[in-house]
């Protein structure tokens, strides 16, 4: 509930408020009790919900309800006679602007104003630090809100900022009053030097963790993110968690970028239901003589009006304010795409520095950095993939401008299989089912082979007869190559013939060779059952004649003969096995 005071004490002495610690006792009861002391001297406590809460030295400002109600009535009455800006207005700048790019002194630097542009609505994740206590019309002093880097705003550099509860940031000394009523910009009266996300009379004290901030990224590309989160408009509640339905709400985020000094305002929702709640969104300089802001289209009339001291709503809206560039200019270089040089994981690409100019004449010095490694020359081959070249132009005064270019080298070369001396792989069957055959083809690639497979896979059992194996190799770029070869499994009949040829060619004594040859020839000429018997007789005779057969030749005869017996499934169930396989001859 507000504390009413006479108008004479509207801007009474400001009071540093710490009572928020009592208000948030329930929230912090599930937090880490130790807390972490920051470099700013504040204590940061991470809650069980993952939000980091920090007690800040909030400056509480009392503006009586009577004063607010009177101003609301005046705003509502003024709104009925407002003359909207014409429909041709798309980019607004205050008429008192003195920004003149041509007037900048060469080599002297200087601030030349801002350009405004609409950008895609892409807010960042909600920041993780929630300050408390949050009051009605007060502010958090910049001593408690460091940006984490130097930020150039309206020609001056700051590393901290004041956060006002009514929807704006203020750089430099805080003038004090809470400014519940949105005002015109540019205007000489306070507040000046501000970024207004959606300045009107809000009540953030009635929304949990209504204001959150965080510095993200690493130098030199950090950014400060501040978000007003689901904040209700004035007179929407009288206590935390008791916001009336269908009241205006405010969820908006401002991002300050290190280096570029860009300002982006992402507004998820800005709705006001009280016609006296005028809203201002934009930026204003230190003296109140210059401002930038966008326009808004009336959904009913189609007329565009300034977002300054106006009655309007926004949803999923984004606007960017960027410093006017007045120094070195660099023409954006064209990205290049080519294929790899034959047999290599790279390509030689002709790359030239982009054209540059300087507002004060002269030729800027152009340097570059390649992302694929330091101390690279432009003429060095570029690896497969994307290489980013960062170009920087620097003039005699030390002003710089940068641009990036990508060189993309596509891997268009498929893997290559190694040549093999044997295009037909012959394997003796080892059982009635055939033989398990293994193979290990190899392939190379200019970048690297990422997959190699064969069908059928190595180790598969092949039946007697000819077969084809196909192997495929692939690389990371999706290039593939295939090769095929034959696998022939030699059956029992052919193996028996080979054994007969082997024994015949040994030149054994006639009394030894001829009986062995006769047994093998008889086995070769008979059906499966008779062949088993004759081959068994051959193996018995090898043992009997072993004294006349060298040991290594005997080992070959025994191994080959035994293998043929296994292939024919010789044994007590020879006939049954042969019949089951539908064979009449081996």
């Amino acid at each position: 509930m507000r504390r009413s005071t006479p108008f004479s004490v509207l801007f009474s002495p400001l009071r540093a408020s710490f009572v928020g610690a009592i208000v948030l006792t329930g929230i912090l009861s599930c937090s880490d009790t130790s807390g972490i002391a920051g470099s700013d001297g504040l204590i940061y406590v991470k809650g069980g919900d993952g939000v980091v809460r920090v007690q800040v030295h909030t400056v509480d400002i009392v503006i009586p309800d009577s004063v607010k109600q009177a101003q609301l009535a005046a705003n509502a009455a003024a709104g009925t006679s407002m003359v909207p800006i014409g429909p041709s207005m798309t980019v607004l700048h205050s008429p008192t602007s003195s920004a003149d790019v041509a007037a900048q002194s060469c080599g002297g630097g200087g601030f030349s104003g801002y350009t405004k542009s609409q950008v895609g609505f892409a807010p960042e994740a909600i920041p993780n630090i929630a300050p408390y206590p949050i009051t009605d019309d007060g502010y958090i002093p910049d001593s408690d809100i460091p940006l984490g880097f130097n930020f150039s705003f309206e020609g001056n550099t700051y590393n901290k900022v004041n956060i006002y509860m009514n929807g704006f940031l203020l750089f430099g000394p805080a003038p004090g009053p809470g400014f519940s009523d949105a005002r015109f910009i540019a205007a000489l009266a306070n507040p000046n030097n501000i970024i207004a996300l959606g300045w009107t009379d809000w009540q953030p004290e009635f929304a949990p963790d209504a204001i959150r901030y965080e510095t993200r990224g690493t130098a030199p590309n950090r950014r400060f993110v501040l978000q007003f989160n689901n904040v209700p408009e004035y007179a929407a509640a009288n206590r935390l968690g008791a916001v009336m339905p269908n009241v205006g709400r405010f969820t908006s985020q401002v991002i300050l970028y290190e280096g570029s000094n860009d300002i982006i305002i992402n507004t998820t929702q800005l709705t006001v239901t009280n016609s006296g709640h005028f809203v201002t969104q934009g930026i204003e300089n230190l003296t109140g003589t210059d401002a930038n802001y966008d326009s808004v289209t009336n959904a009913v009339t189609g007329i565009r009006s300034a977002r300054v001291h106006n009655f309007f709503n926004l949803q999923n809206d984004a606007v960017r304010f960027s410093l006017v560039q007045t120094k070195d200019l660099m023409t954006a270089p064209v990205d290049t795409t080519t294929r790899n040089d034959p047999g290599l994981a790279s390509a030689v690409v002709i790359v030239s520095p982009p054209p540059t100019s300087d507002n004060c004449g002269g030729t800027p010095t152009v340097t570059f950095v390649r992302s694929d490694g330091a101390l690279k020359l432009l003429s060095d081959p570029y690896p497969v993939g994307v290489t980013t070249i960062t170009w920087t132009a620097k003039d005699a005064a030390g002003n710089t401008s940068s641009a990036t270019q990508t060189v993309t080298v596509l891997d268009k070369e498929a893997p290559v299989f190694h040549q093999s001396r044997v295009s037909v792989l012959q394997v003796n069957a080892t059982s009635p089912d055939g033989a398990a055959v293994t193979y290990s083809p190899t392939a190379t690639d200019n970048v690297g082979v990422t997959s190699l497979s064969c069908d059928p896979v190595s180790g598969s059992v092949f039946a007697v007869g000819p077969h084809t194996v196909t192997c495929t190799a692939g690389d990371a770029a999706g290039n593939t190559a295939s090769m095929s070869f034959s696998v022939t499994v030699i059956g029992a009949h052919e193996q028996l013939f080979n054994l007969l040829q082997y024994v015949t060619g040994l030149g054994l004594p006639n009394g030894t060779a001829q009986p062995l040859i006769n047994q093998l020839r008889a086995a070769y000429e008979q059906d499966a059952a008779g062949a088993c018997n004759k081959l068994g007789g051959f193996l018995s005779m090898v043992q009997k004649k072993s004294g006349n057969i060298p040991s290594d030749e005997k080992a070959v005869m025994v191994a080959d003969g035994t293998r043929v017996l296994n292939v024919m499934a010789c044994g007590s169930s020879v006939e049954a096995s042969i019949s089951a396989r539908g064979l009449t001859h081996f």
Side-chain angles (χ1 to χ4, degrees):
M1 184 173 181
R2 295 181 180 275
R3 292 157 288 170
S4 299
T5 58
F7 185 80
S8 59
V9 294
L10 170 61
F11 300 136
S12 58
L14 309 177
R15 296 171 285 110
S17 172
F18 296 95
V19 295
I22 299 174
V23 175
L24 292 180
T25 298
I27 296 177
L28 296 180
S29 62
C30 297
S31 306
D32 300 335
T33 56
S34 56
I36 298 175
S39 59
D40 50 13
L42 303 177
I43 303 298
Y44 294 80
V45 180
K46 185 175 183 179
D49 55 1
V51 179
V52 177
R53 295 179 176 85
V54 55
Q55 183 179 11
V56 294
H57 302 82
T58 303
V59 178
D60 187 12
I61 298 173
V62 179
I63 299 179
D65 283 348
S66 58
V67 174
K68 290 196 171 191
Q69 295 295 344
Q71 186 60 59
L72 285 175
N75 286 349
T80 60
S81 59
M82 288 182 62
V83 179
I85 296 174
S88 62
M89 181 61 67
T90 56
V91 178
L92 300 180
H93 196 280
S94 65
T96 56
S97 171
S98 59
D100 185 355
V101 173
Q104 297 301 310
S105 59
C106 288
F111 171 68
S112 298
Y114 286 88
T115 59
K116 185 235 47 149
S117 59
Q118 286 282 345
V119 293
F121 177 70
E124 292 205 10
I126 186 171
N128 201 42
I129 300 175
Y132 73 91
I134 300 299
T135 63
D136 183 14
D137 297 308
Y139 66 92
I140 305 173
D142 59 10
S143 58
D144 290 352
I145 309 293
L147 299 178
F149 53 86
N150 288 332
F151 182 76
S152 178
F153 179 69
E154 294 285 357
N156 298 298
T157 300
Y158 305 90
N159 58 16
K160 56 186 179 180
V161 67
N162 302 283
I163 300 177
Y164 274 76
M165 308 298 178
N166 283 321
F168 63 88
L169 306 181
L170 186 148
F171 293 93
F179 307 108
S180 61
D181 177 43
R183 303 182 185 180
F184 286 98
I185 55 173
L188 299 181
N190 283 324
N192 301 128
N193 217 33
I194 65 171
I195 300 175
L197 290 74
W199 175 17
T200 192
D201 195 358
W202 303 107
Q203 287 192 295
E205 74 274 23
F206 293 139
D209 298 328
I211 297 176
R212 290 164 68 164
Y213 66 90
E214 186 178 346
T215 299
R216 295 171 173 163
T218 57
N221 299 303
R222 291 165 290 191
R223 57 205 185 278
F224 177 80
V225 185
L226 169 73
Q227 181 163 325
F228 280 70
N229 193 51
N230 204 27
V231 178
E233 65 181 320
Y234 165 62
N238 57 12
R239 60 184 175 84
L240 183 65
V243 179
M244 293 183 294
N246 302 320
V247 300
R249 293 280 190 168
F250 182 46
T251 297
S252 185
Q253 181 184 92
V254 63
I255 309 174
L256 310 182
Y257 290 87
E258 181 182 20
S260 68
N261 298 296
D262 277 0
I263 303 164
I264 292 183
I265 300 175
N266 292 302
T267 305
T268 302
Q269 178 186 26
L270 191 163
T271 57
V272 288
T273 58
N274 189 320
S275 61
H277 279 162
F278 287 174
V279 182
T280 290
Q281 184 186 79
I283 62 176
E284 183 190 55
N285 69 354
L286 180 62
T287 58
T289 57
D290 189 37
N292 293 73
Y293 38 84
D294 199 2
S295 52
V296 63
T297 302
N298 186 304
V300 177
T301 66
I303 296 177
R304 298 179 67 86
S305 302
R307 297 182 181 182
V308 176
H309 201 246
N310 211 332
F311 182 77
F312 63 90
N313 296 327
L314 297 174
Q315 185 174 8
N316 295 345
D317 177 86
V319 62
R320 176 175 61 197
F321 300 97
S322 302
L323 292 174
V324 173
Q325 299 298 316
T326 64
K327 301 302 176 185
D328 302 321
L329 296 177
M330 175 178 287
T331 303
V334 178
D335 296 336
T336 300
T337 300
T338 187
R339 62 159 292 160
N340 67 291
D341 292 339
L344 299 176
S346 61
V348 175
V349 183
I350 298 176
V351 178
S352 302
T356 60
S357 62
D358 185 62
N359 63 317
C360 297
T363 302
T365 301
V366 179
T367 57
F368 69 91
V369 176
R370 286 176 49 162
S371 63
D372 58 329
L375 303 178
K376 290 274 187 177
L377 301 176
L378 279 178
S379 57
D380 285 348
Y382 289 80
V384 167
V386 179
T387 300
T388 300
I389 305 174
T390 301
W391 299 97
T392 301
K394 185 176 182 179
D395 65 12
N399 303 301
T400 61
S401 178
S402 297
T404 59
Q405 177 183 17
T406 59
V407 176
T408 303
V409 178
L410 303 177
D411 178 14
K412 293 294 187 179
E413 193 161 328
V416 177
F417 279 94
H418 290 181
Q419 293 294 324
S420 174
R421 294 182 180 180
V422 181
S423 59
V424 176
L425 182 61
Q426 292 187 331
V427 179
N428 287 319
T430 59
S431 74
D433 294 326
V437 184
T438 60
Y439 30 83
S440 55
T442 57
T444 57
D445 185 70
N446 60 316
V447 176
V449 175
T450 58
S451 64
L452 178 57
S453 61
C454 295
D455 182 25
V457 299
S458 177
S460 298
V461 175
F462 290 75
V464 172
H467 305 273
T468 298
V469 176
T470 300
C471 297
T472 302
D475 62 18
N479 303 305
T480 61
S482 298
M483 60 89 69
S484 297
F485 61 92
S486 295
V487 172
T488 300
V489 178
I490 301 172
H493 196 240
E494 187 175 352
Q495 289 188 51
L496 190 56
F497 177 80
N498 293 337
L499 179 55
L500 176 60
Q501 293 294 98
Y502 174 76
V503 174
T504 301
L506 289 178
L508 296 174
N510 186 51
T512 300
Q514 198 58 44
L516 295 175
I517 292 172
N518 290 339
Q519 289 292 333
L520 289 175
R521 184 176 290 119
Y524 181 74
E525 293 175 349
Q526 294 191 29
D527 60 13
C532 285
N533 293 330
K534 293 299 181 181
L535 188 55
F538 166 78
L539 292 174
S540 296
M541 191 170 292
V542 169
Q543 297 298 329
K544 293 177 181 180
K545 302 289 186 179
S546 60
N548 298 325
I549 304 174
S551 59
D552 55 341
E553 295 172 355
K554 174 187 174 183
V556 172
M557 294 180 195
V558 172
D560 287 2
T562 302
R563 184 178 64 249
V564 175
L565 285 174
N566 291 333
V567 174
M568 292 190 299
C570 294
S572 60
S573 59
V574 171
E575 294 296 339
S577 175
I578 293 174
S579 176
R581 297 178 185 281
L583 301 176
T584 59
H585 198 280
F586 60 97

